[in-house]
Amino acid sequence: MSNKILIVDDAAFMRMMIKDILSKNGYEVVGEANDGSQAVEKYKELQPDLVTMDITMPEMDGITALKEIKKMDGNAKVIMCSAMGQQAMVIDAIQAGAKDFIVKPFQADRVIEAIKKTLG
């Protein structure tokens, strides 16, 4: 059975890039969200095995969304996505319960490695 993944990023082309990497590697993208509040709703609705979450987004940022998702599901597996130079935010995210992080621009092998490691 393929693992179900929810992709969260406010940039459509970033979601498309991740979706492409995941699909080519046998993962099933069950949903996409373009901000944190949408991510929380979709998580509730879709119950994905894993979430890729951008940190910087309008409405609700990725760290706030991560905290909300972890409140609902303590076992949620979330990988944060950040641009270079956001180390402080990455540390916040890990403390809030993120399992790993990947840096933009994405390298396919690093994305897959983080996902495999997180899903165990």
Side-chain angles (χ1 to χ4, degrees):
M1 194 184 106
S2 66
N3 293 105
K4 300 183 307 218
I5 300 180
L6 170 63
I7 299 173
V8 186
D9 200 305
D10 57 331
F13 78 97
M14 282 295 181
R15 292 196 308 270
M16 204 168 64
M17 275 174 64
I18 296 180
K19 189 174 189 172
D20 189 50
I21 293 168
L22 297 176
S23 301
K24 283 181 180 158
N25 285 275
Y27 295 99
E28 183 191 352
V29 175
V30 290
E32 296 181 28
N34 56 21
D35 67 41
S37 49
Q38 208 179 40
V40 175
E41 289 306 308
K42 295 257 180 175
Y43 189 89
K44 253 186 255 183
E45 177 195 329
L46 302 167
Q47 302 285 298
D49 298 308
L50 184 133
V51 181
T52 66
M53 178 89 70
D54 186 25
I55 291 182
T56 316
M57 295 180 289
E59 302 299 319
M60 184 192 285
D61 68 33
I63 294 173
T64 308
L66 166 67
K67 289 175 181 169
E68 290 296 313
I69 288 171
K70 287 299 255 183
K71 266 188 234 168
M72 284 189 299
D73 178 1
N75 298 317
K77 294 182 167 81
V78 182
I79 296 176
M80 304 307 284
C81 307
S82 73
M84 286 296 216
Q86 291 185 315
Q87 274 77 3
M89 286 181 177
V90 167
I91 291 164
D92 285 351
I94 300 290
Q95 287 171 340
K99 298 289 185 198
D100 203 345
F101 66 94
I102 42 183
V103 179
K104 297 174 184 179
F106 299 120
Q107 291 169 306
D109 54 350
R110 175 67 188 109
V111 172
I112 297 305
E113 176 196 322
I115 287 173
K116 279 184 177 160
K117 193 174 88 180
T118 302
L119 289 170

